[in-house]
Amino acid sequence: MSMASLSSSLMWFRKGLRIHDNPALEHAAKDSKFLYPVFVIDPHYMESDPTAFSPGSSRAGLNRIRFLLESLRDLDSSLQKLGSRLLVLKGEPSEVVIRCLKEWRINKLCFEYDTEPYYQALDDKVKNYAAVAGIEVFSPVSHTLFNPADIIKKNGGRPPLSYQSFLKVAGEPSWNSSPLSISPPCLPPVGNVGNSGNFEVPSIGDLGYDETEEGGTTPFRGGESEALKRLRESIANKEWVANFEKPKGDPSAFLKPATTVLSPYLKFGCLSSRYFYQCIQEVQRNVKRHTSPPVSLLGQLLWREFFYTAAFGTPNFDQMNGNRICKQIPWNDDDHLLAAWRDARTGFPWIDAIMIQLQKWGWMHHLARHCVACFLTRGDLFVHWEKGRHVFERLLIDSDWAINNGNWLWLSCSSFFYQYNRIYSPISFGKKYDPNGNFIRHFLPVLKDMPKEYIYEPWSAPLSIQRKAKCIIGVDYPKPVVSHDSASKECRRRLAEAYELNKKLKGVVSTEDLKTLKRKLEEGKNQESKSKKLKQKLIG
DNA sequence: GAACCGTTGCGCCA
DNA sequence: TGGCGCAACGGTTC
């Protein structure tokens, strides 16, 4: 064996916080004398921000920060079982990694490829240094089933914008012809790291957060071990896996959620999406019949791919301005309405209960997310989807840049989906699943004694009933911020006008054009209320 | 240029 | 539980 092949490797963990199906880790371990497994705590995501609307950093709530630390501890413990350990450092990641490459005389740098713009920029810096220093870089695609770049190329340079066309272009994943290796790799020891730091996984307190503070109450524990346990439990019920139909799931189920809740583990890569894919396939092979994409369980994994591909192939995917697939719509900038939504004070119990579940758990059912996203944007409040996106991005434990932005584009009828007349009712949608309002009673205990006839619209309860339920509307629980009937009608009108403008200008809408439209819409609104008043006068 | 389709709307009817 | 009218979008396909 030559000197060059028996080298020191650095495995840079970012997502992909797992041992199983981790090609970067395997490559780092191969033919190496020493292996340095590194995770960098990035202040960009982790630094405490006391001005944020809830405990956490400016980009992550306490629930997700805790979930990440749990995942790191689990990874460290798995590495230790293999005779290694995790080295946790703090700082701007590209600087920290470059410093490690120098100090530890690394010959080979391995990390999972990441399609997010933030990581692309970070990776470029590190790769540039490595190229100059003559360090081998191995950066495989293993977070997703497909390489988004391949699909975009196959589709003629642009990402497919409908799910069906995505499926056609994507086909079968290339690695799927044989089972993946999921047995733990043999790891070389960690080399000398000096005594300049302790490299331990920090506690939430070490990062400057108050452990006792609200916002860290999710029932879901992070880590690969937990992910694999949850995966086994989910796929053990073969009938459930085979008959899974996403739209038929109950968004109000909280004692036993209607889905796998594997999304946070996929987000951090505690679970390999490829391994999950093969496990589902294995179940499907052993049953007579099963559901298919888009509604099946496999279909859910393919939705993830769909959004990753769209996000990778669309500049400015996370904003309206400069995003070629995003309809230009004159959303409001109403911070009061935004705050009412964010802080679960809209006065619509179904909406507010979901927002409380988001705050407490960092997770809600997909359809529940639809309801609150639609309500904030095109359904009722007409607040900019980017504002809602930011709240979800901070608070969800599974928040994923591509998927979160993709779904906000979808729900706000800004891209992918355009039938803006289909609006989720904040009153009747939840009632279908949960007529007794158990979900509301659980997350909004102030309404726990409200009779089921009124629990979805408590403002309509007679005062005697409100008194009996010990919940006076306007005192103990807010009055609704808008009337759904008139607000949703107004939203439809605005969207119709905005769509017309987008069509007329072939999607090239300037901020000036939007301002003009906004003025026109305001005038229309005033005119309408004037004529209403006039009518009332005449009737009166 | 038209027909068809689209992860999951609502309210009403049978 | 399933089908229809509502009103009527854009992407894809022919």
Side-chain angles (χ1 to χ4, degrees), chain A residues 15 40-48 56-61 64-65 68 93 116-119 122 209 267 393 401:
Chain A
K15 293 169 188 157
V40 185
I41 301 266
D42 184 350
H44 178 76
Y45 285 113
M46 303 285 270
E47 195 160 58
S48 174
S57 72
S58 65
R59 289 179 178 79
R64 192 165 76 254
I65 290 173
L68 169 60
E116 279 181 37
Y118 180 75
Y119 285 98
L122 215 57
Y209 296 102
K267 179 243 151 65
E393 189 169 284
W401 186 80

Side-chain angles (χ1 to χ4, degrees), chain A residues 163-175:
Chain A
Y163 186 79
Q164 293 307 328
S165 58
F166 172 85
L167 290 186
K168 254 185 231 167
V169 177
E172 182 86 353
S174 54
W175 45 265

Side-chain angles (χ1 to χ4, degrees), chain A residues 27 44 63 66 89 96 102 153 157 179 213 215 309-310 330 376 415 423 432 440 445 478 487 490 498 507 517 524 526:
Chain A
H27 189 78
H44 178 76
N63 269 327
R66 175 166 297 180
L89 295 99
V96 172
K102 287 178 189 163
K153 202 173 159 193
E213 213 156 8
T309 308
L376 179 71
S415 196
I423 291 172
K432 276 192 299 204
I440 293 169
E490 172 67 10
L517 177 58
N526 293 338

Side-chain angles (χ1 to χ4, degrees), chain A residues 163-269:
Chain A
Y163 186 79
Q164 293 307 328
S165 58
F166 172 85
L167 290 186
K168 254 185 231 167
V169 177
E172 182 86 353
S174 54
W175 45 265
N176 198 35
S177 46
S178 55
L180 293 161
S181 104
I182 63 144
S183 52
C186 229
L187 299 184
V190 178
N192 182 15
V193 291
N195 42 17
S196 56
N198 74 358
F199 305 111
E200 300 286 326
V201 178
S203 71
I204 202 111
D206 294 337
L207 292 178
Y209 296 102
D210 182 353
E211 302 234 22
T212 59
E213 213 156 8
E214 295 262 335
T217 51
T218 179
F220 305 112
R221 301 273 71 86
E224 180 182 16
S225 308
E226 187 67 25
L228 293 173
K229 198 179 124 203
R230 250 197 124 77
L231 172 69
R232 304 261 168 270
E233 282 165 7
S234 291
I235 60 173
N237 191 343
K238 293 193 167 61
E239 283 303 298
W240 184 84
V241 171
N243 297 320
F244 186 89
E245 277 185 77
K246 189 64 165 281
K248 293 208 173 146
D250 177 357
S252 71
F254 61 95
L255 293 172
K256 191 179 182 303
T259 55
T260 61
V261 197
L262 286 169
S263 54
Y265 304 94
L266 290 167
K267 179 243 151 65
F268 283 110

